[in-house]
């Protein structure tokens, strides 16, 4: 629509509500579908090459879709301490204090920016699920690059009151990484003892493993009943909703899309 000259207008009203996936399998399917769709925007319909878009629109479409490329960056970052502990090869030669003086402020500024842009609702669980989806993003990227067909299925939102099923098969890559990290720690400690370099790399490895914990726990079986869908509360019906049953498309929304020349 933007390519054909239509304008989109933001309306600060609740016009629709939805539920999050009820279990980890449906969450995984949903995220894979979103990831593949976004990556196809880049590799099949590159916004930078589309006619009819303004410069800011090209940039916004590219940035929103390229978020799902972060999985490759995350796994490379997570593997750095493992490679050091296994081989002794150092990617960055500097003192731990100098690295901390640069890295710690960088991390806090990023976290603060996330909180400000989410009205201080961004939680550790949200960060954990975002960073732990690297394998899902890598498999979706491979499917796009190889043009492999995948089936489309609407995510089930049904709420179950029984026990949580076992979806640990979906987090095998995260479990393998944790096991590899423990092995790398043993190799590194045997090679050089409790050196400053080893402690710094172990700390960074521990951060990555800790981040994956909520992701793995969500996939693990449980006998405890679950009262709410994954990651969000049940939606509360909006009061004084502008959308009435007899008016599926309210008049207040009509100007949202109109040709530029009107």
């Amino acid at each position: 629509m933007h390519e054909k000259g239509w304008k989109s207008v933001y309306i600060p009203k609740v016009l629709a509500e939805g539920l999050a996936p009820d279990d980890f399998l449906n969450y995984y399917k949903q995220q894979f579908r979103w990831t593949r769709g976004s990556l196809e925007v880049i590799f099949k319909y590159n916004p930078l090459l589309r006619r009819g878009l303004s410069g800011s629109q090209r940039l916004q479409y590219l940035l929103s879709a390229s978020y799902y490329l972060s999985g490759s960056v995350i796994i490379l970052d997570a593997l750095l301490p493992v490679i050091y502990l296994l081989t002794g090869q150092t990617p960055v030669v500097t003192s731990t204090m100098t690295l901390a003086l640069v890295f710690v402020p960088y991390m806090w500024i990023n976290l603060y920016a996330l909180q400000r842009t989410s009205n201080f609702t961004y939680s550790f669980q949200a960060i954990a699920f975002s960073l732990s989806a690297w394998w899902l993003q890598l498999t979706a990227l491979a499917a796009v690059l190889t043009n492999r067909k995948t089936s489309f299925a609407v995510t089930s939102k049904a709420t179950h009151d029984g026990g949580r099923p076992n979806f640990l098969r979906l987090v095998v890559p995260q479990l393998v990484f944790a096991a590899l990290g423990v092995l790398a720690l043993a190799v590194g400690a045997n090679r050089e003892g409790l050196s400053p370099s080893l402690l710094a790399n172990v700390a960074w490895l521990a951060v990555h493993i800790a981040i994956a914990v909520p992701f793995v726990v969500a996939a693990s079986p449980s006998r405890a009943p679950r009262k709410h869908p994954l990651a969000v509360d049940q939606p509360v019906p909006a009061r004084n909703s502008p959308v009435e049953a007899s008016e599926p498309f309210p008049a207040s929304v009509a100007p949202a899309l109109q040709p530029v020349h009107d």
Side-chain angles (χ1 to χ4, degrees), residues 89-126:
Q89 297 297 318
T90 306
V92 178
V93 180
T94 184
S95 68
T96 302
M97 184 57 66
T98 301
L99 184 62
L101 289 175
V102 175
F103 186 74
V104 172
Y106 165 78
M107 287 297 298
W108 279 110
I109 291 173
N110 271 277
L111 292 174
Y112 180 71
L114 283 173
Q115 290 288 17
R116 284 297 300 269
T117 55
S118 65
N119 197 25
F120 292 91
T121 60
Y122 210 71
S123 64
F124 173 75
Q125 187 179 36

Side-chain angles (χ1 to χ4, degrees), residues 182-215:
V182 173
L183 173 63
L185 172 59
V187 173
N190 181 67
R191 182 183 64 248
E192 58 187 77
L194 299 179
S195 65
S197 296
L198 182 134
L199 294 177
N201 280 275
V202 167
W204 190 231
L205 177 63
V207 168
H208 280 284
I209 293 178
I211 285 174
V213 169
F215 199 72

Side-chain angles (χ1 to χ4, degrees), residues 206-228:
V207 168
H208 280 284
I209 293 178
I211 285 174
V213 169
F215 199 72
V216 174
V217 170
S220 63
S222 172
R223 294 182 180 179
R226 300 178 61 234
K227 299 180 181 180
H228 302 291

Side-chain angles (χ1 to χ4, degrees), residues 7 35 38 62 90 110 113 157 169 172 178 196 203 206 213 225 229 245 254 261:
K7 292 175 64 177
T35 302
S38 296
L62 181 65
T90 306
N110 271 277
K157 308 300 194 304
R169 68 184 185 278
V172 168
V213 169
H261 51 74

Side-chain angles (χ1 to χ4, degrees), residues 63-242:
L63 291 177
S64 60
S66 62
Y67 160 76
Y68 292 100
L69 291 172
S70 60
S72 56
V73 179
I74 291 169
I75 188 57
L76 288 175
D77 189 46
L79 286 175
L80 286 178
V82 174
I83 293 172
Y84 168 77
L85 293 172
L86 289 175
T87 66
Q89 297 297 318
T90 306
V92 178
V93 180
T94 184
S95 68
T96 302
M97 184 57 66
T98 301
L99 184 62
L101 289 175
V102 175
F103 186 74
V104 172
Y106 165 78
M107 287 297 298
W108 279 110
I109 291 173
N110 271 277
L111 292 174
Y112 180 71
L114 283 173
Q115 290 288 17
R116 284 297 300 269
T117 55
S118 65
N119 197 25
F120 292 91
T121 60
Y122 210 71
S123 64
F124 173 75
Q125 187 179 36
I127 296 175
F129 272 69
S130 177
L131 297 182
S132 298
W134 51 267
W135 179 256
L136 181 155
Q137 294 174 6
L138 290 177
T139 53
L141 176 60
V144 171
L145 295 178
T146 59
N147 201 29
R148 178 169 58 87
K149 292 184 178 181
T150 55
S151 60
F152 178 87
V154 176
T155 306
S156 172
K157 308 300 194 304
T159 302
H160 304 291
D161 294 327
R164 187 167 56 206
N166 186 348
F167 296 123
L168 285 177
R169 68 184 185 278
L170 298 177
V171 295
V172 168
Q174 287 75 19
L175 296 175
V176 170
F177 173 79
L180 182 61
V182 173
L183 173 63
L185 172 59
V187 173
N190 181 67
R191 182 183 64 248
E192 58 187 77
L194 299 179
S195 65
S197 296
L198 182 134
L199 294 177
N201 280 275
V202 167
W204 190 231
L205 177 63
V207 168
H208 280 284
I209 293 178
I211 285 174
V213 169
F215 199 72
V216 174
V217 170
S220 63
S222 172
R223 294 182 180 179
R226 300 178 61 234
K227 299 180 181 180
H228 302 291
L230 181 65
V232 297
D233 296 328
Q234 292 280 6
V236 179
R239 297 182 180 180
N240 300 323
S241 174

Side-chain angles (χ1 to χ4, degrees), residues 52-69:
L53 297 178
S54 66
S56 60
Q57 287 174 332
R58 295 173 193 270
L59 183 62
Q60 287 296 330
Y61 278 118
L62 181 65
L63 291 177
S64 60
S66 62
Y67 160 76
Y68 292 100
L69 291 172

